[in-house]
Amino acid sequence: MTDAIRLTRLPNGLTVVSETMPRVETVSLGAYVAAGTRDEAAEENGVSHFLEHMAFKGTARRDAMAISAEIESVGGHLNAYTAREQTAYYAKVLKEDAGLAADIIGDILTHSVFDPAECERERGVILQEIGQANDTPDDIVFDHFQAVAFPDQPMGRPTLGTEETVRAISRDSLRGYLRRHYAPKRVVVAAAGAIEHEALLDLVARHFRDLPEGGATPTAPARYQGGEYREEQDLDQVHIVLGFEGVSYTDPLLYPTMLLATLLGGGMSSRLFQEIRERRGLVYAISAFATPFQDSGLFQIYAGTGEEQAAELVPATLEELRRVRHDVTAEELDRAKAQLRASLLMSLESTGSRCEALARQVFVHGRVIPVEETKAKIAAVTLDDIAAAARRIFTGRPTLAVMGPHRNVPPVGEMAEKLAA
């Protein structure tokens, strides 16, 4: 850890981490909670996301308008998101307003009132959000994919919840979930930019002292199974997500897998883009990406294509997955390394990206990973490592999610046979 990056674990279990960036005039500050969709019971699916929404709807000291007005009156930005393993509340402000950012985020995490009228209004907003997602096939197809990859378990459920579960979530459900999962030991307060660590510790002591003290229930392990989901819809395109079990954040094949995704479908020079779009003209866009989790991961390929073109697209894609197990060139690997390394370094120019990276690394590794260490791990990946990652991933059981006119998309079992050939 460099002198600019400092980490403190407080006696109550809360972790505070900061990176001082002397040549910027802003601060990104956030509270990151190690709780998300995978921590929800089946009947409360969507409660993490509902709670994130309600945090902005009023506290003992501020109503919803005041929360927005105070941060915007200094030109700042306040936002939040819910993911499967994390919920984040964060702000970006000028350096002189870091205290206000900490005050507001601490206030919404510890003193939200969950006004019943606001709960009902926000329930309606979330139901509209679910409806919008259901009307967006290239979005909702990923939820169907997740449900098939991790069936009958929290990791497979949608982050937004369902209409049924969201309608059933009560004010008591929100408060109970917060008490169980927002304990200090599951919270990291991170900041990056024009702020000193001692100043951040002082802000945390003042504004985060009322976090609930209760312990959290253990997180259920992720159990990948795979399978198939199909939904016939009258659409101009068929939306296809083909994927496999990937790797976790701590797997030795993490960086080979990320590079494999990059060289397969991470840019215009990637294999799938060149073969499927440029040479065959079957799609407008095709992409591959690796998504690690704490104890598992996914490797996914997405394409949207016409009903007739799907008959050619699927076998061509499977052929690239077969080929990449044994014929990756040094030039391809070097290009993928350059892309991944550049993406890492470019993100470091943003205080927000640095802030989020600090929290994520603390959750996953218990420490902040130096940039030079990450660059060295990327540089150390060999062609044999790429082959090992490809063999492991593409010989596993596939998962397929398809929406639209799908008659020319073969069954997932047939795809598995062709990959094994």
Side-chain angles (χ1 to χ4, degrees):
M1 198 178 310
T2 68
D3 292 340
I5 299 175
R6 293 182 58 189
L7 184 150
T8 300
R9 289 187 172 87
L10 301 179
N12 67 352
L14 181 70
T15 300
V16 182
V17 61
S18 67
E19 180 173 4
T20 302
M21 301 167 63
R23 287 183 292 277
V24 300
E25 296 294 320
T26 63
V27 175
S28 290
L29 187 151
Y32 299 83
V33 185
T37 310
R38 72 177 299 174
D39 298 282
E40 301 169 351
E43 64 275 8
E44 64 178 5
N45 178 214
V47 67
S48 304
H49 177 252
F50 203 145
L51 179 60
E52 173 228 309
H53 274 237
M54 286 306 301
F56 294 88
K57 297 305 171 182
T59 71
R61 291 193 289 128
R62 297 175 170 97
D63 61 16
M65 179 61 187
I67 291 171
S68 301
E70 284 190 40
I71 198 77
E72 291 179 1
S73 68
V74 298
H77 305 282
L78 180 67
N79 212 334
Y81 67 81
T82 305
R84 286 189 160 79
E85 297 185 312
Q86 178 175 283
T87 307
Y89 305 83
Y90 57 95
K92 184 171 184 176
V93 294
L94 297 177
K95 61 184 179 182
E96 58 266 26
D97 299 312
L100 175 64
D103 181 3
I104 292 177
I105 293 174
D107 194 25
I108 66 177
L109 258 65
T110 59
H111 298 117
S112 285
V113 295
F114 305 114
D115 177 76
E118 289 285 2
C119 281
E120 291 311 308
R121 272 192 291 271
E122 207 58 29
R123 190 190 314 277
V125 170
I126 294 170
L127 291 172
Q128 291 292 331
E129 190 176 357
I130 292 172
Q132 179 177 307
N134 288 335
D135 286 342
T136 312
D138 57 343
D139 182 2
I140 200 68
V141 70
F142 286 95
D143 276 352
H144 295 309
F145 177 94
Q146 191 88 15
V148 175
F150 298 104
D152 302 318
Q153 55 187 295
M155 278 295 285
R157 298 184 190 122
T159 298
L160 298 181
T162 66
E163 289 192 18
E164 180 182 6
T165 58
V166 168
R167 290 186 189 280
I169 291 171
S170 67
R171 182 173 185 255
D172 287 343
S173 301
L174 295 168
R175 297 176 77 170
Y177 182 87
L178 186 146
R179 284 194 301 270
R180 293 194 304 274
H181 295 287
Y182 279 50
K185 65 182 180 181
R186 299 192 74 168
V187 177
V188 172
V189 177
I195 190 169
E196 297 295 335
H197 192 68
E198 290 77 9
L200 179 61
L201 287 172
D202 180 62
L203 292 173
V204 169
R206 280 189 280 146
H207 301 300
F208 290 85
R209 61 180 178 268
D210 292 334
L211 285 168
E213 296 181 0
T217 55
T219 299
R223 303 181 309 278
Y224 176 90
Q225 293 186 34
E228 179 174 322
Y229 174 89
R230 287 173 182 261
E231 182 177 330
E232 182 73 26
Q233 286 195 12
D234 184 16
L235 301 171
D236 289 335
Q237 284 197 312
V238 54
H239 298 272
I240 305 169
V241 182
L242 172 65
F244 308 81
E245 184 172 20
V247 300
S248 72
Y249 281 112
T250 56
D251 195 290
L253 286 177
L254 174 64
Y255 287 101
T257 300
M258 294 175 70
L259 289 165
L260 175 64
T262 300
L263 67 88
L264 258 178
M268 293 174 63
S269 64
S270 66
R271 287 192 170 200
L272 289 173
F273 192 93
Q274 284 295 311
E275 181 64 26
I276 305 300
R277 172 176 162 150
E278 297 298 278
R279 295 194 181 98
R280 298 176 183 252
L282 299 175
V283 298
Y284 174 70
I286 186 168
S287 56
F289 36 94
T291 305
F293 301 122
Q294 292 273 7
D295 56 351
S296 183
L298 290 172
F299 191 103
Q300 297 167 294
I301 298 160
Y302 166 80
T305 191
E307 180 179 6
E308 300 303 323
Q309 288 83 357
E312 184 180 351
L313 179 145
V314 173
T317 299
L318 296 176
E319 178 59 27
E320 290 303 319
L321 301 189
R322 284 195 297 264
R323 288 181 55 230
V324 80
R325 297 179 203 169
H326 54 77
D327 73 347
V328 174
T329 67
E331 179 184 2
E332 283 181 292
L333 179 55
D334 287 345
R335 185 164 60 241
K337 287 180 178 180
Q339 287 178 263
L340 191 58
R341 187 170 58 247
S343 176
L344 166 69
L345 296 176
M346 289 177 184
S347 72
L348 297 181
E349 297 180 359
S350 161
T351 59
S353 295
R354 288 201 189 198
C355 183
E356 184 169 1
L358 292 173
R360 182 178 63 253
Q361 290 170 4
V362 170
F363 280 140
V364 173
H365 303 287
R367 66 186 180 100
V368 177
I369 307 298
V371 174
E372 292 305 317
E373 181 178 330
T374 302
K375 288 168 62 178
K377 288 181 178 179
I378 294 171
V381 174
T382 67
L383 291 172
D384 287 342
D385 294 331
I386 297 293
R391 286 194 301 270
R392 173 171 155 185
I393 292 168
F394 301 141
T395 56
R397 179 175 174 141
T399 297
L400 176 69
V402 189
M403 296 183 69
H406 56 71
R407 66 182 178 86
N408 286 325
V409 179
V412 71
E414 184 179 320
M415 293 188 187
E417 291 176 2
K418 289 184 177 180
L419 283 171

